[in-house]
Amino acid sequence: MAFLTNFYAFLFYFAAFVLVAGLVFKIVQYSRTPAPLKIPTTPAPTTRSGVVFRMMREVVLFESLFRGNKWTWIFGWMFHFGLFMVTLRHLRYFMEPVPFPIELVQPFGIYGGLAMIVGLAGLWSRRFFVDRVKYITSTSDHLILGLLILIGCSGLLMKFVFHTDVVEIKTFFLGLYSFDIKPLPGDPLLLLHLFLVASLMIIFPYSKLLHAPGLFFSPTRNQVDNPREQRHIAPWAKRLDQP
Amino acid sequence: MAKATFEVPELSQYTEVPPVTPGTMAHSAPFKSKDEWQDALGFPGELPEDWQARAIDKMGDLLGKYRSLRVYMDSCVKCGACTDKCHYFLGTKDPKNMPVGRQDLMRKVYRRYFTLAGRFFPKLVGAEDFTKEVLDDWYSYFHQCSQCRRCSVFCPYGIDTAEISMAAREIMDSIGVGQKYCNEIIAKVYRIGNNLGLPGPALEDTLEGLEEDVFDETGVKVRYPLDEEGAEILLVTPSADFFAEPHVDGLIGYGKVFHEAGVSWTMSSYASEAANFGMFIGSYANMRRLAQRIREAAIKLKVKRIVFGECGHAWRVAYSFLNTLAGPWDFLDPRYPVPQHICEFTYDLIQKGKLNLDKSENDDKVLTFHDSCNVARASRMGSTPGGQFEIPRAILKATCNNFYDMDEDTIRDRTFCCGGGGGLLTDDLMEIRVKGAKPRLDALNNVMQEKGVTHMAAICAICKSQFTKVLPYYGMEMDQIVSLHQLVSNALVLTPGEDDEEPDEDDDLDKNDNDEETDEAA
Ligand code: HEM
Ligand code: SF4
Ligand code: SF4
């Protein structure tokens, strides 16, 4: 048991490190790369606050996707909103005391888990049944969907069928904060669930999951439409101006 | 009627999404650029021995210079929302013409050389070496994108395939694989001043001819000045406006509008081209060099304002990039935006009641309006978002009694490209041009059947040339495409100057004569 506990402790330190370092690296890279030209997809907001509003609609409602494809939107939104609820619900394992809003969200987390799986199943089926989507799908796209579904299913099974000792799990994770490694329950389902989650954290910064930070840096969505009013010029382009 | 060596798609009431059929357009590729043009643009003339390494280097360079490219390479989740949005896919069924299919041609190379996953597990993530076959695919399919940005409207991350096509063309140019049409034209602008290679004296002749024509027709002396120092306005317009049909009717219209506004204006022989093909090939340096000509002309002619004629990609570069590329414009009159679109100019006059418009002059037509892709999705007119849709329509409604919009899904920011944009307006790409026009023509055909529409107005030189050429393939008439300012020109009742004679009564009746001549042209 001690070996498993130590292995998982190490795994989560590693996964958290890769996730955070990888994301920080990517975010720094994106923000350091200039956007030399004004390319918002118009009609676009003409003010900063307008852009914030546009971005919020994209993040919360998936506005462009809604205009693009209703089925993908329904399944995609169910999945993400479900994932969001599930993530909120899980925060109780990582905080002591548990804040009131997180307590409140607990039952919704369960529905979120179900929605997430239905959404993922819908998205996955498109990859088989819509010829255009099938054409653009690569193995990694299947694997990521499989990974998320497995995470969802193993989680729900623990909730509804094979219960595990959540108090002990919480102790394990809270212990990690202070490098005090506490025993982890040895249920196979839990170990699978945690292993998959750690894998997800590790691949996050190296895969298409970068769409999450990417959206915020997309020039077609985050630029203000004011090129005539304000001269926009990148540092590398400015050098061309000096003879 | 033009003869086709390929199958022209049949129009349908609504554009249907075709089944994926790989490889239908793999044979399509434009003529290659030659040494002399490559050289004029600062690119090598031939594929060097170590082209692969150089191309990867160039890609790295662009990834560091363009956030769009960097973010778009990483972010696509293969959701498929863009797959049925490109007119070239809808017209050809070729999956490499789906926006994401096109992007993936570059993305697989990006993943192979610039990502950990692609370096270690290429098969898993669809990464591939940059081989000669991949390069050939690039040349073929990155010249089947008109950079119309329709895909970017529907992508949840706003991934703009145009950005990727531009980068791909820049990379190919950097290893000597350039496209003849674009690069020859840019070289021509450097040498002569415009895309068509019309030298100053030829322009002068043409403009004199226009003055005579307009006088004969209306009895009013309307001026079409060239290189007049001290004029208030510099008009920069696509060179097709100088002689092509129906473009020139638009130019006639601009002149009449300026005449009625009572402002002095001029064109420039040095900057006699609004279209900036530097954008098509994704070359910031060339785009900048072309734009600087406008700055130089404005300074030399001591103008106070700059107005652009009807052209889509040109307006994108003008509206969105001109300040960046050739600004700041602090020496011009700060009361006006720099630059202004001729439609903004005309619309202002209409708003102020300064134009006397007789709509019945256009009663022989039932009109619809084609939103040109780059005006619609890459620029604006007026001070509020969406002005680029409302202002041209307001002008149409002020000049015509019969106007109907096409299907909502195919206009405004969801408009379909004409099929000839982005450097594809060349005879060696006729097949992709004809097939790519299908979605737009489906919608046009629909309003022709249902509303009796006879003509489609456009505000882009490329759209006008493309439709003139492509409409006959679908059994329509080439002169069904008209310039917006041609309609203004028809409807505008001119104010005679002091030395003008009263126009003959029946002159008005002959006004549409020149429409008919176009049947014989080309
Ligand atoms: C800012 C936060 C995020 C936004 C705005 C966002 C948005 C989107 C959108 C619009 C799609 C396309 C539609 C779809 O296929 O569902 C998508 C796909 C996807 N997202 Fe997210 N997402 C976010 C965060 C995340 C996170 C944290 C994860 C995972 C752990 C994730 C996993 C996925 C996956 C796997 C897909 C592809 C689904 C498929 O293969 O069809 N997303 N996302
Ligand atoms: S920019 Fe236009 S032509 Fe190019 S892929 Fe997107 S929709 Fe197609
Ligand atoms: S819509 Fe955007 S994210 Fe979806 S497949 Fe197309 S490019 Fe990729």
Side-chain angles (χ1 to χ4, degrees):
Chain A
M1 210 53 256
F3 168 72
L4 265 183
T5 297
N6 284 335
F7 174 76
Y8 271 83
F10 171 77
L11 182 65
F12 272 92
Y13 283 130
F14 179 70
F17 172 76
V18 171
L19 178 70
V20 172
L23 276 182
V24 167
F25 174 79
K26 270 294 167 183
I27 288 172
V28 168
Q29 182 185 54
Y30 290 160
S31 53
R32 286 229 178 117
T33 310
L37 294 165
K38 279 279 192 174
I39 59 166
T41 310
T42 57
T46 52
T47 58
R48 258 286 121 214
S49 50
V51 164
V52 170
F53 187 54
R54 177 186 204 176
M55 193 59 92
M56 266 171 47
R57 295 198 311 268
E58 291 294 353
V59 173
V60 179
L61 304 174
F62 300 180
E63 186 182 46
S64 297
L65 182 63
F66 181 78
R67 297 181 74 195
N69 190 306
K70 297 288 184 285
W71 283 112
T72 310
W73 179 81
I74 290 170
F75 291 132
W77 200 80
M78 268 174 88
F79 155 54
H80 284 86
F81 194 71
L83 178 68
F84 181 63
M85 283 295 151
V86 169
T87 310
L88 286 185
R89 179 181 151 91
H90 278 67
L91 288 180
R92 69 176 168 155
Y93 300 122
F94 305 95
M95 299 176 157
E96 189 57 48
V98 179
F100 183 62
I102 301 298
E103 301 238 20
L104 217 58
V105 95
Q106 291 305 312
F108 299 103
I110 308 276
Y111 300 125
L114 291 169
M116 184 177 140
I117 291 187
V118 174
L120 283 166
L123 289 172
W124 208 352
S125 65
R126 289 182 58 76
R127 300 207 176 275
F128 294 100
F129 299 124
V130 180
D131 67 345
R132 287 165 283 122
V133 183
K134 186 172 178 184
Y135 178 88
I136 57 173
T137 300
S138 60
T139 317
S140 55
D141 300 315
H142 288 302
L143 288 180
I144 291 180
L145 284 170
L147 178 66
L148 283 161
I149 286 202
L150 270 181
I151 292 175
C153 290
S154 55
L156 286 174
L157 277 178
M158 278 188 287
K159 169 71 200 161
F160 291 115
V161 189
F162 307 102
H163 297 278
T164 181
D165 188 343
V166 292
V167 177
E168 220 174 326
I169 297 172
K170 180 159 183 169
T171 317
F172 171 78
F173 279 107
L174 290 181
L176 291 182
Y177 292 150
S178 48
F179 300 96
D180 175 13
I181 294 169
K182 297 278 173 52
L184 186 68
D187 308 307
L189 208 53
L190 173 72
L191 295 181
L192 177 69
H193 188 70
L194 292 183
F195 182 78
L196 296 175
V197 171
S199 316
L200 182 69
M201 290 163 73
I202 291 166
I203 62 167
F204 203 101
Y206 299 102
S207 66
K208 67 175 187 177
L209 298 177
L210 283 172
H211 67 284
L215 171 57
F216 297 95
F217 290 96
S218 172
T220 53
R221 293 290 180 268
N222 75 7
Q223 287 187 338
V224 181
D225 175 21
N226 62 355
R228 291 193 289 195
E229 291 75 21
Q230 259 179 44
R231 185 154 189 245
H232 171 94
I233 188 150
W236 65 261
K238 199 160 195 148
R239 264 171 258 135
L240 300 174
D241 275 356
Q242 277 118 40
Chain B
M1 157 89 200
K3 276 189 223 66
T5 52
F6 47 87
E7 201 180 329
V8 179
E10 243 175 79
L11 295 183
S12 45
Q13 188 175 15
Y14 295 101
T15 306
E16 284 143 25
V17 180
V20 164
T21 319
T24 63
M25 288 306 285
H27 59 278
S28 169
F31 294 156
K32 293 242 161 77
S33 171
K34 293 202 186 110
D35 264 6
E36 50 171 315
W37 308 315
Q38 290 292 97
D39 199 45
L41 274 62
F43 299 130
E46 263 164 47
L47 195 67
E49 198 66 23
D50 58 343
W51 66 269
Q52 196 195 42
R54 286 194 196 202
I56 306 294
D57 271 359
K58 186 70 190 176
M59 190 188 278
D61 176 44
L62 295 183
L63 284 165
K65 280 180 167 170
Y66 290 87
R67 182 187 292 170
S68 52
L69 189 64
R70 173 67 86 182
V71 171
Y72 297 159
M73 281 293 115
D74 281 338
S75 298
C76 173
V77 296
K78 310 297 165 78
C79 72
C82 62
T83 53
D84 54 354
K85 303 301 185 288
C86 178
H87 50 291
Y88 291 122
F89 170 69
L90 295 172
T92 66
K93 314 185 174 78
D94 191 322
K96 286 181 184 164
N97 276 328
M98 302 190 300
V100 48
R102 200 185 313 286
Q103 295 162 23
D104 277 354
L105 296 175
M106 182 181 284
R107 196 172 281 117
K108 65 187 180 186
V109 177
Y110 167 75
R111 287 202 167 146
R112 184 74 182 111
Y113 298 94
F114 296 94
T115 71
L116 217 57
R119 233 173 267 164
F120 295 120
F121 316 104
K123 285 262 159 43
L124 199 66
V125 297
E128 249 181 70
D129 285 344
F130 202 7
T131 58
K132 188 70 179 41
E133 286 72 49
V134 174
L135 178 62
D136 289 344
D137 250 11
W138 276 37
Y139 192 70
S140 185
Y141 289 101
F142 285 122
H143 289 108
Q144 297 186 44
C145 171
S146 57
Q147 308 174 342
C148 78
R149 315 184 90 207
R150 191 165 196 267
C151 43
S152 86
V153 171
F154 302 98
C155 172
Y157 321 110
I159 296 179
D160 181 4
T161 317
E163 289 293 305
I164 293 163
S165 290
M166 289 171 191
R169 293 184 193 180
E170 167 90 333
I171 292 170
M172 289 190 284
D173 266 327
S174 79
I175 53 168
V177 184
Q179 182 215 21
K180 171 177 186 266
Y181 175 66
C182 284
N183 293 5
E184 183 183 13
I185 277 182
I186 297 172
K188 227 183 271 175
V189 180
Y190 291 153
R191 220 160 10 97
I192 301 167
N194 54 58
N195 289 359
L196 293 168
L198 301 168
L203 289 181
E204 219 163 293
D205 267 5
T206 311
L207 296 174
E208 264 171 35
L210 286 188
E211 289 183 358
E212 282 164 24
D213 290 350
V214 174
F215 184 74
D216 288 347
E217 216 174 274
T218 63
V220 179
K221 277 213 176 73
V222 176
R223 300 217 43 227
Y224 293 87
L226 185 69
D227 293 331
E228 285 193 2
E229 223 173 85
E232 165 104 2
I233 293 176
L234 170 65
L235 175 81
V236 187
T237 206
S239 54
D241 281 5
F242 294 118
F243 81 99
E245 286 283 353
H247 311 58
V248 67
D249 303 309
L251 174 59
I252 291 174
Y254 318 152
K256 289 185 182 174
V257 169
F258 288 133
H259 174 91
E260 287 303 298
V263 289
S264 62
W265 66 290
T266 185
M267 288 174 274
S268 152
S269 55
Y270 180 71
S272 45
E273 182 57 66
N276 190 322
F277 276 37
M279 178 171 74
F280 297 160
I281 60 167
S283 166
Y284 191 98
N286 280 292
M287 188 160 67
R288 181 174 177 280
R289 196 171 149 200
L290 292 165
Q292 286 286 339
R293 296 176 76 92
I294 296 170
R295 183 185 181 86
E296 289 161 30
I299 292 172
K300 179 155 168 290
L301 296 172
K302 303 191 176 70
V303 294
K304 295 271 166 294
R305 302 164 66 176
I306 299 178
V307 174
F308 268 70
E310 298 178 359
C311 189
H313 295 75
W315 181 238
R316 177 181 194 186
V317 178
Y319 172 84
S320 295
F321 306 159
L322 205 65
N323 203 2
T324 300
L325 297 169
W329 296 100
D330 38 18
F331 58 94
L332 297 177
D333 189 336
R335 287 174 303 167
Y336 303 98
V338 182
Q340 261 186 310
H341 196 282
I342 186 69
C343 285
E344 295 180 306
F345 187 86
T346 302
Y347 178 72
D348 275 351
L349 293 176
I350 295 176
Q351 290 303 92
K352 290 185 186 137
K354 291 211 175 131
L355 298 184
N356 182 2
L357 295 161
D358 177 3
K359 294 192 203 185
S360 66
E361 288 290 341
N362 287 312
D363 275 354
D364 55 333
K365 302 180 183 67
V366 181
L367 283 138
T368 190
F369 181 68
H370 166 65
D371 288 287
S372 296
C373 56
N374 272 254
V375 175
R377 291 185 282 262
S379 78
R380 174 160 54 98
M381 289 180 200
S383 53
T384 47
Q388 68 271 36
F389 312 131
E390 304 318 323
I391 288 177
R393 282 179 175 76
I395 296 175
L396 260 169
K397 287 174 187 161
T399 52
C400 313
N401 283 313
N402 315 313
F403 168 74
Y404 299 97
D405 257 323
M406 288 178 277
D407 183 10
E408 257 324 298
D409 285 345
T410 71
I411 58 171
R412 298 175 206 272
D413 65 338
R414 283 178 290 179
T415 188
F416 279 110
C417 162
C418 62
L424 310 193
L425 193 75
T426 167
D427 285 350
D428 38 317
L429 292 174
M430 212 56 219
E431 180 175 358
I432 189 75
R433 285 171 57 188
V434 169
K435 292 182 171 174
K438 178 180 185 287
R440 169 40 78 229
L441 296 186
D442 279 338
L444 172 61
N445 193 38
N446 203 355
V447 282
M448 285 168 60
Q449 307 300 328
E450 288 185 0
K451 306 283 185 193
V453 163
T454 59
H455 290 78
M456 178 163 70
I459 47 171
C460 171
I462 289 179
C463 296
K464 294 171 200 171
S465 301
Q466 157 77 353
F467 286 126
T468 307
K469 196 87 179 234
V470 161
L471 285 173
Y473 281 87
Y474 288 93
M476 300 176 179
E477 302 297 324
M478 62 195 296
D479 60 2
Q480 284 184 274
I481 177 81
V482 295
S483 297
L484 180 59
H485 273 78
Q486 174 179 352
L487 303 167
V488 176
S489 169
N490 293 346
L492 194 55
V493 181
L494 292 175
T495 321
E498 286 138 29
D499 50 351
D500 290 332
E501 52 194 88
E502 280 298 304
D504 289 345
E505 282 300 308
D506 53 16
D507 265 354
D508 270 359
L509 297 174
D510 300 338
K511 251 188 192 170
N512 293 309
D513 265 7
N514 53 354
D515 272 357
E516 266 138 53
E517 281 162 28
T518 60
D519 276 329
E520 315 301 10

